[in-house]
Amino acid sequence: MDHLFTVEGASAAPVAPTALAAEGLLERQHLQEWVIAHPQVLGESVLVITAEFDRWADTDGVPARDRLDVLGLDATGRLVVVELKRGTADRDVHLQAITYAALVSRFDLDTLAQAHRDFLKGRGESVELDECRQRLLNHVDGDWSPELLQRPRQVIIAAGFPKQVTHTVVWLSEMNLDIDLIEVGLWKVKDELVASFTKVYPTPEVEEFTLAPARIEAKAAAKKLEERSRAQNAVHVIVGTGLIPDGALLRLKPRHGATEDIREDILAWVREDSSRASVTWNNNAAKPLTWKSDGKQYTPTGLANHIFTSVTGRTADGIQGTTWWDIDTAHVPDTVDPDEWEALSGTHLASLAKRVNGTSKDWTGLHTLLNAVPAGRWTTYGDVAAVISSHAVPVGTHLATCGQCPNAWRVLNAAGRVSPGFRWPDTTRTGSPADVLTAEGVHFEGDAATHETRLPLDDLQRLLGD
């Protein structure tokens, strides 16, 4: 059970829970709209395709009366079937979800595009069918996979779940059927209603240690889903943190899913045309790579598969494309410090994502920290990044482009030098950050600030705490 408190200093007062029904909130008009507006409660990168869907027919051609609450599509290419209950779930709610999953598992791209068009039209948005079809294709990281559509993930959202449901869902999950249980809670805090969505099953530990092994050993479709999910997650992590600036170059280095002989063949193929080895990064989670060879946009795995097939004439099987693309440190983006960029040499997208997983683009903590750095002292991109749980490269990019960061001139690179990417927010301002720092009392030897005025990392951490 969740506990909610209002806090005033050392005092914490419990907030009594309420319920949707008690507050006059309805399943369709309210709970369903919350989910449509905020599909992140269903999992990462879910696109809502339709809601209140009932355009299917039974074997006799008679339209069914059942309405599917919400149907989504995640970036791996799987459908997400959502069943909503504003109170405690019925004892057979999981059977409803399974029924809907079975029905939508027969849908194809055209069926989904038509459903999406009708859904948008009903909400006042006129979109052509081809545009809806392309929107679905663009949302998927990799090629459209009919076999993945046959394996929908189910999400049941309710105020509570009886034991009959939880016990059955646990067993079904062990049998390789994906069902998430999410509890919706409601509290009234000083005349304001606060809603929460808490995933009660499966927990991360269950997914990692109990369910994942069984799914990995299942059918080829499950393996394909695993590989695609991993690549998609890496891209979303990198885009979410802003680690790689738009326009940065990456170089091809085939790894996962290719034998040594095939890797050598690919590299020989690349030597015939050097543009085949280079891509430009853009912070678009759907297709972040623009291939120099044809100017088209790809996902990391999609392009790796295309290259594999172009060289071998065979279809790739389970490539993790995020391991195929390394940061090209020979070309430094304008907003990045060269020393910090050089530190990423030989690093591919998958390993970059591991470095920064859990960080975000919320720079509130950075601004608070910089505002507290006193005159006469300086710090580094790396130390600032460590304090706010980020990485030196996105910190430097933000400082170069923000225009509102306080005391940005007091952040230098690890050698104590002003980054070439530093820009004054006021473009008419003359003089270098080194001139300002010198006037504030920072000593320089040549073009590098001396270490006696550098803020130790512990002192920097205390500034954020203060």
Side-chain angles (χ1 to χ4, degrees), residues 132-416:
C132 289
R133 185 183 293 107
Q134 194 59 47
R135 183 179 297 187
L136 299 181
L137 291 171
N138 289 344
H139 185 72
V140 173
D141 180 55
D143 296 330
W144 186 267
S145 174
E147 63 264 31
L148 288 181
L149 290 183
Q150 297 172 11
R151 300 174 56 84
R153 179 167 64 88
Q154 297 147 72
V155 179
I156 305 174
I157 300 177
F161 299 95
K163 289 184 178 179
Q164 293 91 334
V165 173
T166 56
H167 289 174
T168 305
V169 166
V170 169
W171 179 78
L172 289 171
S173 295
E174 292 172 348
M175 295 298 103
N176 204 32
L177 193 66
D178 286 351
I179 304 181
D180 294 350
L181 301 181
I182 297 177
E183 281 189 352
V184 56
L186 196 68
W187 289 264
K188 182 174 285 187
V189 183
K190 297 180 179 180
D191 297 326
E192 294 284 341
L193 292 177
V194 177
S196 69
F197 291 81
T198 305
K199 187 177 180 181
V200 296
Y201 185 85
T203 62
E205 292 79 9
V206 170
E207 287 185 300
E208 182 175 359
F209 297 112
T210 303
L211 303 182
R215 290 168 186 160
I216 290 173
E217 295 170 0
K219 299 178 181 179
K223 178 182 177 182
K224 188 172 185 179
L225 169 66
E226 177 71 16
E227 298 292 347
R228 186 174 291 178
S229 296
R230 186 162 46 194
Q232 176 264 329
N233 287 337
V235 168
H236 279 271
V237 166
I238 293 171
V239 171
T241 58
L243 178 60
I244 304 178
D246 286 333
L249 298 182
L250 281 68
R251 302 289 296 180
L252 172 67
K253 188 171 183 179
R255 293 186 177 93
H256 183 272
T259 64
E260 187 63 35
D261 288 344
I262 292 176
R263 294 176 195 174
E264 292 177 1
D265 290 342
I266 291 174
L267 294 177
W269 179 74
V270 164
R271 285 192 291 271
E272 296 173 3
D273 181 351
S274 60
S275 67
R276 294 169 175 170
S278 185
V279 297
T280 302
W281 174 270
N282 62 89
N283 282 289
N284 170 11
K287 293 185 177 181
L289 305 184
T290 301
W291 195 24
K292 289 289 186 71
S293 181
D294 63 8
K296 296 180 180 180
Q297 290 184 302
Y298 294 86
T299 65
T301 298
L303 182 50
N305 286 336
H306 177 71
I307 291 172
F308 183 98
T309 301
S310 297
V311 173
T312 66
R314 307 199 313 263
T315 300
D317 182 21
I319 284 179
Q320 186 185 354
T322 48
T323 66
W324 282 45
W325 302 102
D326 288 3
I327 297 295
D328 185 351
T329 52
H331 298 84
V332 184
D334 292 340
T335 59
V336 173
D337 181 78
D339 292 340
E340 301 294 355
W341 194 245
E342 179 61 31
L344 300 180
S345 177
T347 306
H348 56 67
L349 294 176
S351 60
L352 282 177
K354 289 181 180 180
R355 289 193 192 185
V356 296
N357 194 17
T359 66
S360 71
K361 285 185 183 176
D362 183 358
W363 299 112
T364 304
L366 171 64
H367 293 179
T368 301
L369 178 63
L370 295 181
N371 194 54
V373 176
R377 308 301 296 273
W378 63 278
T379 184
T380 69
Y381 297 109
D383 283 355
V384 167
V387 172
I388 65 171
S389 299
S390 184
H391 188 279
V393 171
V395 167
T397 298
H398 179 72
L399 290 179
T401 57
C402 171
Q404 298 179 342
C405 291
N407 303 326
W409 61 88
R410 294 175 186 162
V411 184
L412 305 175
N413 65 20

Side-chain angles (χ1 to χ4, degrees), residues 2-14:
D2 291 329
H3 297 275
L4 195 67
F5 298 85
T6 57
V7 176
E8 294 183 6
S11 175

